[in-house]
Structure formats: C-alpha cells, structure tokens
Amino acid sequence: LITPYAQFDFKFHSPRTEKSFEVTFSRRSDSMPPEPEEVKHHPASLNQLLLKQLISNIPGKTPLVRFLTRELSNIDRALAERLIKELGENFSPTMPISELGLNEIRILDRLLKEARFGKPKGECLSPAGEYNLRLGIMKELRPDMVATHAESADAFEGHPFIVEAGVSLGGDNVRNGLSIYRFANRIPLLFEQGNDIVTKTAQDIPWGQYKISASADRIGVFCSIVSTKIPFKGTGKEYIGDDSLTIKQSVRKAIQSCCVQLKTKLARRAELKSRQDRSRNLKRYIPDVANAIMKFFESVKTPTVSAEYVRQMQTGTLTKEVLEKKLAQHVETSDRQNVVELGSIFGYVHEQAEFVHLAPRAETDMYSKPILLQVMPAGEGATQPPQVGIQFLESLRVNREKPGIEKVATEDNQVPSK
C-alpha cells in the first residue's frame, strides 16, 4: 500500500513440493518519494544534551550570536540579539560559546522552549506522496471509490511532520465498517490499533454528513504520518498516542478532506443514477405513447391543426416506428439539456459548450456516450489561461466484447495522472 513504487518477490521452497509457492507484489508506480534534505535543528526541538553536543562540535571562539544564527533554523540576527538580551546580563552577542557552563546552557534551553519560532520546514521528510498512496490503495484493494489528501508540513515539539490520508469505499476483502491502515515513516503499524490516534480520530468522524454509513459501507481509512520524531507510546513503538493535539487535528483535517471528495463523487453518482432511471422510465412508456398518438390520429375525422400529421400517416411517412424513434431522440436531447442547465450553476457559457464523442481505440472498444466539452474563458485582466472542462453525460463505459472479459469501467477506476 505505502510502497507501490517497489516490487517484492517472495519465494518459499519446501522439501515437500506441494508446499512451495511464490508471491509477487508488482510495481504500480515509477514515482519515487523525494529524498530528505539535511536541515538545521529547530530551536524548539533542542534539549540540554543536544545543546552540549552542538556547542562541542564547533570552535570555542565562536560568538554566541553566530552560534544561534548558523547552527539553528528560524533565527536571524535580529531575533538572536533579542534572545541574548533576554538571557540576562551574563550573556552578550560576542560571548564565546566556550564560556557557556552547565548553568548557562540550562538557562538558554529554558528560553528556547518558551520562545515562539516559525514552523520548521518539511524538506527533511520523505513522505510517500499522495499520488503513490492513491496508486497503492487502488492496486491492493481495488475500491469502488478512493480519495487522498496530503496536509502541509506542521510542527510537533519543534519537529516537522506531514500527514497523508486516504479514504476508500468498497474493494476486495474489505469488511463492512471501518478498516484502519496506519503507517509511521512509511512503516506499517500492526498492533494496538484501538489506542492509536488514527483509529480514535476516524471513529469520531461524522460519516453520515458525507453520505457514508460507518456500519453498512466498506470503508478503508489510510493514514501515514512522517516526522523526525514520531510520538510513539510504549517501548515497542506499536501505536501513536492521541495526546498530541496538533497531530490529531492534522489527521482529522486530512481524513475529512478525503470525505469531502467522496461526498462529491457520491452526489455525482446519485445524480447520474437518477438521470438514468428517469431516462429508462421515459423510454419504457415510448411504445404506449406512440401507439396512443397513432390511434388519436386515426380517430380524427376532419383534421385542422393536425392535418399535416394525418396526411403523413396516410402516406406512410409517419409510422409507429418513426414516432418511437423521434420520442427516444427527444428523451436523449432533454437529458443533454439538463446537463447544460446544471453547468450554468458553475458559470459555464452555453454558447461555448459542445458535445463530442470519443473515438474507439480498437474494434472491440467503444465509448457509449458523448461528453460535454466546456471552454471557460479566463476573463478580462485574468492571469490564468482559459480552462477546458469536460463533463461525462454518463459514466465512461468501455464495452469489451472479447469472451471471458466482463464489461468494466467507471470514471473512479481510472489511474490519476501525475
């Protein structure tokens, strides 16, 4: 799940041939996580022991102000001079660090913990990436829907951390309810799931607000926390405690962002199903309507307004089959107009909308429905280029007529682009 860019081959050879087997987890992605960069220590992450080590690693003649600005992050010269001033009369910017004794280091450590600094940057971290997480979920579970989100870097006790989350619906071998998958620095956490911060946060999510049933739907919750300091609980590092409010808030925001994406997809699916049901119901009555109209024209004795239709019926131009075809075309046209009206809610320009068909890729592949191609101009004074929106009138279906292959495809099963 967390390493779709790697391929694992496992081979077990037993003296009993029938017990030997091989398992291969194929690579799905060729995008590697970013390599971590070396960064300076954040002032809030220091302790007395680490301060001693940093001081001992540089020349003793180094001024204190230079030590603060060169060896620590998020401290410029102006801030360093303010900090030294708050340390007291026994400290000065030009004071050599070799004169810092145990008591001075204790005072400096206490001040660095009390002061406020900017958040550390996340360049020193190597998260799997939202793209890889999504591909891993799709590769292993094959869900009906999946949404992923990556939070921006935040800080916990001066250590940067990044939270990546994913939520899936359906899939292979997924039970009803919540299935939690936890990762810390791209390593799966397998034990003490009930006490983990991800489990407790996922259980507190109001799933009903996102049109998801926490008991009936098959929900997969995936959360990866990457940090230079993971707040594990216990000596076995089996779970992450929920006593960190900052990490808990980031986990909750990441999961809820995925839920918002799924809510939009579920609403779109319900809308498409309602439209298909409406079209199916209307087409069901087309033969009866066509038959009633033909009987009505036959019963007209002295036609006035309908004289032209009666004449076409008598000459054979207007038949029941022709009428059924016209009514079916009218139903499809009405469905297309509904799509355009829906697009007006988002500010689309109807005159610039165009229905296009996707060309088949092969004789056995055929796209059944057209799509609505919408050009949205940038507007006057806009810096963004014009955008092109594509809206499917129906879920994109690929009909494969080869034997042994079922008809498959929905827009949610497509591989996301990089």
Side-chain angles (χ1 to χ4, degrees), residues 365-385:
D365 296 345
M366 181 65 67
Y367 298 99
S368 60
K369 291 292 182 180
I371 61 176
L372 177 64
L373 184 65
Q374 175 66 48
V375 179
M376 291 163 281
E380 297 182 2
T383 58
Q384 296 290 339

Side-chain angles (χ1 to χ4, degrees), residues 1-2 179-200 221-225 232 237-240:
L1 285 173
I2 202 67
S179 298
I180 311 295
Y181 301 84
R182 304 165 295 137
F183 304 92
N185 285 336
R186 286 187 277 151
I187 297 176
L189 304 178
L190 305 179
F191 305 103
E192 296 288 346
Q193 177 173 300
N195 298 324
D196 194 87
I197 187 173
V198 177
T199 303
K200 293 185 177 181
V221 179
F222 311 83
C223 187
S224 172
I225 301 177
F232 290 110
K237 296 184 177 181
E238 297 171 344
Y239 71 99
I240 301 175

Side-chain angles (χ1 to χ4, degrees), residues 25-42:
F25 293 90
S26 300
R27 178 184 294 108
R28 178 64 186 272
S29 170
D30 58 357
S31 176
M32 292 288 294
E35 294 186 3
E37 300 179 4
E38 184 177 353
V39 296
K40 300 176 183 178
H41 288 280
H42 191 271

Side-chain angles (χ1 to χ4, degrees), residues 294-311:
M294 295 300 294
K295 288 183 177 180
F296 169 76
F297 286 150
E298 292 175 355
S299 64
V300 175
K301 301 299 182 181
T302 56
T304 54
V305 178
S306 60
E308 178 63 23
Y309 298 109
V310 173
R311 186 188 64 80

Side-chain angles (χ1 to χ4, degrees), residues 163-235:
V163 175
E164 298 172 317
V167 178
S168 67
L169 295 179
D172 299 339
N173 301 323
V174 181
R175 58 178 176 82
N176 290 350
L178 295 176
S179 298
I180 311 295
Y181 301 84
R182 304 165 295 137
F183 304 92
N185 285 336
R186 286 187 277 151
I187 297 176
L189 304 178
L190 305 179
F191 305 103
E192 296 288 346
Q193 177 173 300
N195 298 324
D196 194 87
I197 187 173
V198 177
T199 303
K200 293 185 177 181
T201 303
Q203 292 173 347
D204 293 339
I205 297 292
W207 296 98
Q209 295 182 6
Y210 305 101
K211 304 183 183 297
I212 301 174
S213 174
S215 58
D217 291 333
R218 293 175 296 166
I219 308 171
V221 179
F222 311 83
C223 187
S224 172
I225 301 177
V226 181
S227 177
T228 54
K229 181 182 180 181
I230 300 291
F232 290 110
K233 293 296 181 180
T235 57

Side-chain angles (χ1 to χ4, degrees), residues 201-302:
T201 303
Q203 292 173 347
D204 293 339
I205 297 292
W207 296 98
Q209 295 182 6
Y210 305 101
K211 304 183 183 297
I212 301 174
S213 174
S215 58
D217 291 333
R218 293 175 296 166
I219 308 171
V221 179
F222 311 83
C223 187
S224 172
I225 301 177
V226 181
S227 177
T228 54
K229 181 182 180 181
I230 300 291
F232 290 110
K233 293 296 181 180
T235 57
K237 296 184 177 181
E238 297 171 344
Y239 71 99
I240 301 175
D242 63 341
D243 51 354
S244 172
L245 182 61
T246 306
I247 296 180
K248 189 173 184 177
Q249 289 177 345
S250 295
V251 171
R252 184 179 182 87
K253 285 172 59 180
I255 296 177
Q256 286 183 324
S257 297
C258 297
C259 292
V260 171
Q261 298 178 43
L262 290 179
K263 181 180 179 180
T264 303
K265 292 184 178 182
L266 290 171
R268 188 186 304 128
R269 172 183 287 185
E271 178 191 347
L272 291 174
K273 185 178 183 301
S274 175
R275 190 182 304 155
Q276 292 171 0
D277 292 342
R278 173 182 175 275
S279 177
R280 189 184 305 111
N281 292 334
L282 288 176
K283 289 180 180 179
R284 184 189 308 169
Y285 295 105
I286 284 178
D288 295 335
V289 174
N291 188 43
I293 293 177
M294 295 300 294
K295 288 183 177 180
F296 169 76
F297 286 150
E298 292 175 355
S299 64
V300 175
K301 301 299 182 181
T302 56

